[in-house]
Amino acid sequence: MSTETAESGGLSLGSIRSLLDDMGPSWVAGAIAAGPASMGSLLAAGAGFGYSLLWVVVLSALAGAVSQYLAMRLGLLTERGIVGVVEDSLGEGWAWLLVADAVLAAGVAQLVIMKTVASVSATITGVDARVWGLVWGIVLAAGLAGRGYRFLELFAKVVVSLVVVLFVASLFVVPIDVGAAATGLIPSLPGGSALAAAGIVGGAVHITLITMHSYTMRARNWTERDYDLATADVGLSMIVAFGLYSLAIFLVAASVLSQGDTGTALGAAKALGPIAGENAQWLFLIGLAGAAVSTLGGNTIVPPFLVADKLGWGTDVSDSRYRWLLVAVAGLSIPGAFIPGSIIPQLLLILAVGTVGTPFAIAIVLFLLNSDAVPRPPSMFANAGGIALLGVTGILAANFVREQVAGGIAPLSGAVLAFALLVALATVALGGKFAVEELADT
């Protein structure tokens, strides 16, 4: 390892490389967060409301970091997957509800993410999107089932870093009004912007990101001794990498796109050509491809982690049952490339289903962190951050459900409403259980 010292700050280049190599679990979560659903929300917000929602973009990165920190703390202090801890601390019914909540959100997302990956690949190469769906399904199955988590982690770190560089580079070929952007840091919600703001935050604070984190840390064999490394992992992936990704996309959209350019994320990329030049278009298009592919890979491992833990199986490829779960999820994602219709409404549905289930996951994590499941409780600041997240995601979930139901109770909106009521009741019941136990203790 090199011991050459950097001129600024006296940092060893070898130690920096070692730190980057040691990091990883939160980068997989960041790869999912920095995906097409978040991109669709950022494009719609920037194109529709200019710079006025910039403060929401900044808030989303901070909120995502807080949720990942809480999930990280639970995983490190228990040294177990979240489903097993829930089953031992709360019971089997609560564990199954958490598994169903997360698997439903991840499963719906998997189909639309595959559609995005296949569509972007078709745009770049000219090969039919359905062919690309089959290709990416095979690549997923072979890569994840064959090489396991470390392959995904390395892929996530490389691709997310490349995507961030590409989108930041697009800022240099797109004119940004710095003064107008600065005014967007002052909190305000223009008329009709509540749903766009909800989508931005919902992409960073999501049930799949919260539930997967304990398993990715177990794959790294991290324990409480790695607390500082895990904290730095969260900060660099969510605040720095995901924050830069979100800022760059939002600023590009707010600067040069109009609402009509964001019918699809691909439409936004193509619109940049005549507006900001071919370089901007290709930087954006390649960045979109990288974001979609990294998200597809990260999202694929979420259901197998949770289901395997609940069934008492191993959560790595040394257990053939877990390996076949990975293959099954990869294969079930292929039909996404055959789904017709505009992608933006489908991306909003991803956020709707995921956001509806997220408050329950946050409540579970807060309950466990303040119970006997962990050796020491979180700080007052961490608890306050978690409670604030619970309130924000609860409001976002209510907004999404109201939006779905406003168009009439169809089978799809009815299913979302029923699911929302179930997890809302479970969240309230969990809060009541915690209050009763606290009163009993005192």
Side-chain angles (χ1 to χ4, degrees):
M1 180 180 295
S2 172
T3 57
E4 180 182 354
T5 302
E7 294 182 3
S8 60
L11 292 176
S12 166
L13 295 179
S15 66
I16 293 174
R17 284 196 296 267
S18 177
L19 176 64
L20 293 175
D21 182 62
D22 288 340
M23 289 183 179
S26 193
W27 285 81
V28 178
I32 298 177
S38 294
M39 182 178 294
S41 297
L42 291 163
L43 289 171
F49 303 98
Y51 296 106
S52 59
L53 294 181
L54 180 58
W55 67 276
V56 179
V57 178
V58 175
L59 176 65
S60 71
L62 296 175
V66 171
S67 66
Q68 287 302 109
Y69 173 79
L70 294 173
M72 173 215 82
R73 183 178 173 83
L74 178 64
L76 285 185
L77 296 181
T78 61
E79 298 185 15
R80 298 179 61 193
I82 187 173
V83 173
V85 179
V86 170
E87 185 165 5
D88 288 349
S89 302
L90 293 170
E92 188 172 12
W94 291 97
W96 273 120
L97 181 57
L98 180 63
V99 171
D101 189 1
V103 168
L104 176 62
V108 172
Q110 189 76 2
L111 292 171
V112 182
I113 295 168
M114 174 59 86
K115 177 180 179 179
T116 305
V117 171
S119 298
V120 176
S121 301
T123 299
I124 293 175
T125 64
V127 177
D128 189 275
R130 291 167 293 185
V131 174
W132 275 112
L134 293 170
V135 170
W136 283 117
I138 294 171
V139 169
L140 274 180
L144 295 178
R147 300 190 60 186
Y149 167 76
R150 290 305 293 268
F151 165 76
L152 174 63
E153 183 184 284
L154 175 62
F155 183 78
K157 284 192 285 188
V158 172
V159 175
V160 170
S161 298
L162 176 62
V163 167
V164 170
V165 169
L166 286 168
F167 282 127
V168 170
S170 68
L171 295 178
F172 292 93
V173 292
V174 170
I176 306 296
D177 188 335
V178 178
T183 64
L185 295 173
I186 302 173
S188 66
L189 280 177
S193 67
L195 189 59
I200 293 172
V201 178
V205 184
H206 198 275
I207 183 172
T208 55
L209 311 184
I210 296 169
T211 53
M212 74 180 295
H213 204 45
S214 57
Y215 299 99
T216 52
M217 289 191 300
R218 295 308 305 142
R220 270 301 196 116
N221 294 317
W222 281 6
T223 66
E224 190 174 356
R225 295 188 301 272
D226 301 292
Y227 198 95
D228 290 341
L229 175 61
T231 303
D233 189 41
V234 169
L236 283 177
S237 64
M238 294 304 297
I239 296 179
V240 178
F242 177 73
L244 286 174
Y245 163 92
S246 302
L247 281 173
I249 294 173
F250 178 82
L251 290 174
V252 167
S255 299
V256 298
L257 296 181
S258 65
Q259 191 66 46
D261 296 328
T262 58
T264 67
L266 288 174
K270 293 176 181 177
L272 285 173
I275 297 173
E278 188 175 347
N279 289 336
Q281 175 184 333
W282 279 102
L283 284 171
F284 200 88
L285 191 61
I286 296 172
L288 170 60
V293 170
S294 65
T295 302
L296 184 67
N299 195 74
T300 302
I301 68 172
V302 176
F305 271 146
L306 300 172
V307 173
D309 189 15
K310 183 64 191 72
L311 296 177
W313 301 348
T315 54
D316 59 65
V317 293
S318 62
D319 190 321
S320 61
R321 296 168 297 185
Y322 171 78
R323 186 185 299 115
W324 281 111
L325 280 176
L326 285 172
V327 172
V329 174
L332 290 172
S333 66
I334 293 174
F338 295 78
I339 296 176
S342 175
I343 199 170
I344 290 297
Q346 294 164 1
L347 291 174
L348 289 177
L349 178 61
I350 288 178
L351 293 176
V353 175
T355 303
V356 161
T358 297
F360 176 64
I362 295 174
I364 285 281
V365 171
L366 285 173
F367 184 99
L368 294 175
L369 286 175
N370 289 277
S371 71
D372 294 335
V374 298
R376 63 177 190 274
S379 66
M380 183 181 299
F381 178 79
N383 272 331
I387 293 171
L389 277 180
L390 185 59
V392 169
T393 54
I395 294 172
L396 298 181
N399 285 337
F400 274 124
V401 171
R402 184 168 61 248
E403 181 76 13
Q404 288 290 315
V405 175
I409 306 296
L412 185 58
S413 59
V416 172
L417 177 60
F419 178 65
L421 290 174
L422 175 63
V423 293
L425 289 173
T427 304
V428 172
L430 190 63
K433 179 178 174 62
F434 179 78
V436 169
E437 292 183 1
E438 285 294 297
L439 287 173
D441 290 341
T442 57

